[in-house]
Amino acid sequence: MTVLVFGRTGQVARALAVLCPEAVFLGREAADLRDPSACAAAIRARRPHAVINAAAWTAVDDAETHEAEALVINGEAPAAMARACAALAIPLVHISTDYVFAGGGDAPWRPGDPVAPCNAYGRTKRAGEVGIIAAGGTFGILRTSWVFSATGGNFLKTMLRLSDTRDRLNVVGDQIGGPTPAVAIAAACLTMAETLRARPDLSGIYHLSGAPDVSWAGFAREIFAQAGRAVTVEDIPSRAYPQPVRRPANSRLDCSGLTQAFGIARPDWRAEVGRILNELGAVT
């Protein structure tokens, strides 16, 4: 199976490069998502067996002041990819986010639950979902949350950096979700792409997040415990940690549909934390 991947330097794209080195990876210089027509042209020119979109505008705060640009990258470009894939009768797997939901309550969000993005980033990602569905082709939209890996910027690496100089940290304790290893997302995308080639009837929206659900503060404690770092984590409410935009309080995701359709179970994020810490040489 020839796979065309949009994205090259992000966390999921790098994980895909390890799992599927034979895939063709398009960075910004080859297919800039700010030019949706160029993305569609890249698909038509290469005619792969499947496409995975692992590229996106992920700067949540900046999206508030650059929503029009983020909308092109997160909304219009994926829609253009989907139309090109539909014309070639090949599947598109696209990574989305829990931010399409309002973030209230404490029940895990199901794929069919009403969406109500609480910020510009969520609105632009939802626009991408709508555009992909409207294209009428074979697709798999994979919503996920709290992505982490040994590469790029993420919560795990931020906690390690802060613990180099501090032995006490205040971390938000009232936002709950499932930290998700980038490698698990990459593996899921590959499985979905291959399965959808034979089973286009499985097209739809699915969820993947790590288990068990935890707060950011709880996530931090596990990181420090496995790293052997004596850092005290103090839970604080979201209101005590002002940010430019609102984050969902409830990022729990119901992932049962992904398991039923593709046999993909929720990964244990704690095991991946240990593997990454060892890879980074961060265990004391």
Side-chain angles (χ1 to χ4, degrees), residues 116-127:
C118 64
N119 54 41
Y121 170 72
R123 290 192 292 272
T124 65
K125 292 296 285 184
R126 176 55 184 168

Side-chain angles (χ1 to χ4, degrees), residues 242-257:
Q243 292 182 300
V245 299
R246 179 186 162 203
R247 262 69 171 176
N250 177 22
S251 289
R252 300 173 182 87
L253 295 175
D254 182 335
C255 307
S256 58

